[in-house]
Amino acid sequence: MTSNEKRVLTIDDDGAACRTIDLVARTAGFEARSTSDATEFFRLVEDWQPTHLVLDLVMPGLDGVDVLHRLAEMGTDAQVIVTSGHGQRVAEAARRVARELSLASPGILPKPFSASLLRRLLHEDEGVSPCANAGSGRFLAITAADINSGLERREFVAHYQPKIDCATERIVGFEALARWDHPEVGVVFPDSFIRQAEDGDLINALSEQVAESALAWFGRTFAPHGLELALNFSGRAVSDPGLADAMSSLCTRYGVCETQIVLEVTETYAMADPTAALALLTRFRIRGFQLAIDDFGIGYSSLAQLARLPFSELKVDRSFVASARTSEESRKIVAALISLSHSLGLRVAAEGVEDGETLAILRDLGCHHAQGYFIGRPMGPEETRIWVENKLAPGQAINGRP
Ligand code: C2E
Ligand code: MG
Ligand code: MG
């Protein structure tokens, strides 16, 4: 693994832009280098291993989309910040290309630069995979055997991110996010092990371990207050015919009512085989579990299929929410998804709320629930309990209940 130092590498044909970015990055505690030469840029990506890349999309003789493809081929873990003087729409489109190529991209930096936006983007990578470049397994190659050992030692746990009601700003519950409490590496994030667990046929065991840890904590601490706990399941785990029974047993064991549990599955899963999903998901609903369609808006849903499937909640993907304040296009998409949810009778939640202005926009648009760094980052169980206590005024009860 590399050291924890942060390194920014910029490619831009405008020397003044390079100097500005280098200066802002250095004052933010980063090492910084810049170049206008593509060969030099790719050499530095290999040799210097930057943690952040600032990429000017339009340079003479160089196509920014080609650069993104090359970076994806190289398997870089760096956070890619796209900059462009050709308008926000082009930069946002390029960022979508980056995401589809599985590159991490905390945001776009429209020209002329705002130093504060650049500083914010440079500190934005936690949601992706902060575990010392563990993201692609380039520095920390995680195998199925490693995961198996972690499962045997019961090292897979959950961290919790609070969710609030947009109108009242009261806590409504938490989303449990898997974390691997690794004895040598520290906390490992799901981007580094979920896919490997699926490939190694370990996802069911892993999902159960995380669910058990979350339900035990939630049942003990918060279930009596009527809050909700959301759990993420990949398609492979949801397709396990034993999961509904296993989840009901856990609810009984830890004194949690099924209606307090929200199972989150991604839009991609739901749409891959809607006929199979219909039967599987209905079984959960019959037992009382709530179902959320996660990361909505980035897949290719058929609205007819969405209406047929028994979801109770739609979670707007954080890529639209995080940019709703600055991008008119994103704001319109968020508004349309909220309105669609209302007309389908679904609860709608927004994830990736990073500032108060975005929360106000969501409230005005009629969004029901919100979560994001502005409200609270994912936290360990004890930290979450303290966070909830501190949020409450003396004498106030969670969710207004005694
Ligand atoms: P997700 O379910 O969409 O979870 C939200 C992710 O966004 C979390 O990343 C969270 O830390 C991050 N996030 C929350 N608020 C913000 C914000 O304001 N800004 C930004 N930039 N990011 C924010 P995390 O914990 O790394 O999880 C990534 C994904 O891994 C999850 O996306 C989910 O799809 C998957 N995952 C997590 N836990 C499990 C699990 O137990 N089982 C399965 N199958 N997948 C899981
Ligand atoms: Mg989720
Ligand atoms: Mg999501």
Side-chain angles (χ1 to χ4, degrees), residues 161 175 177-179 190 232 234 294-295 318 351 354 372-373 378:
Q161 185 171 36
E175 177 174 2
L177 295 156
R179 298 288 181 262
N232 292 280
S234 59
D294 202 357
D295 302 342
R318 66 175 188 266
E351 57 185 7
E354 298 186 350
Y373 294 163

Side-chain angles (χ1 to χ4, degrees), residues 1 129-134 140 142 155 157-159 177-190 192-193 378 380:
M1 290 172 54
S129 191
C131 175
N133 295 321
L140 179 69
I142 291 174
E155 288 165 359
V157 295
H159 279 195
L177 295 156
R179 298 288 181 262
W180 184 358
D181 210 349
H182 196 285
E184 286 144 33
V185 178
V187 177
V188 183
F189 285 71
S192 305
F193 58 78

Side-chain angles (χ1 to χ4, degrees), residues 237-259:
V238 171
S239 309
D240 170 12
L243 182 69
D245 281 343
M247 286 301 298
S248 285
S249 313
L250 286 176
C251 283
T252 310
R253 189 175 326 151
Y254 295 110
V256 178
C257 180
E258 275 95 338
T259 54

Side-chain angles (χ1 to χ4, degrees), residues 219-285:
R220 208 170 41 235
T221 319
F222 291 112
H225 296 281
L227 298 184
E228 290 179 2
L229 177 71
L231 294 158
N232 292 280
F233 287 97
S234 59
R236 285 280 290 278
V238 171
S239 309
D240 170 12
L243 182 69
D245 281 343
M247 286 301 298
S248 285
S249 313
L250 286 176
C251 283
T252 310
R253 189 175 326 151
Y254 295 110
V256 178
C257 180
E258 275 95 338
T259 54
Q260 290 179 275
I261 300 295
V262 185
L263 290 111
E264 295 192 2
V265 298
T266 60
E267 178 188 5
T268 329
Y269 156 72
M271 295 301 147
D273 185 351
T275 312
L278 177 63
L280 280 161
L281 297 178
T282 302
R283 298 180 65 226
F284 288 100
R285 291 291 277 150

Side-chain angles (χ1 to χ4, degrees), residues 49-73:
Q49 296 190 349
T51 54
H52 292 71
L53 299 169
V54 181
L55 165 66
D56 181 18
L57 270 187
V58 187
M59 302 203 335
L62 190 64
D63 174 336
V65 173
D66 285 346
V67 175
L68 291 173
H69 276 273
R70 173 98 185 261
L71 288 170
E73 278 161 26

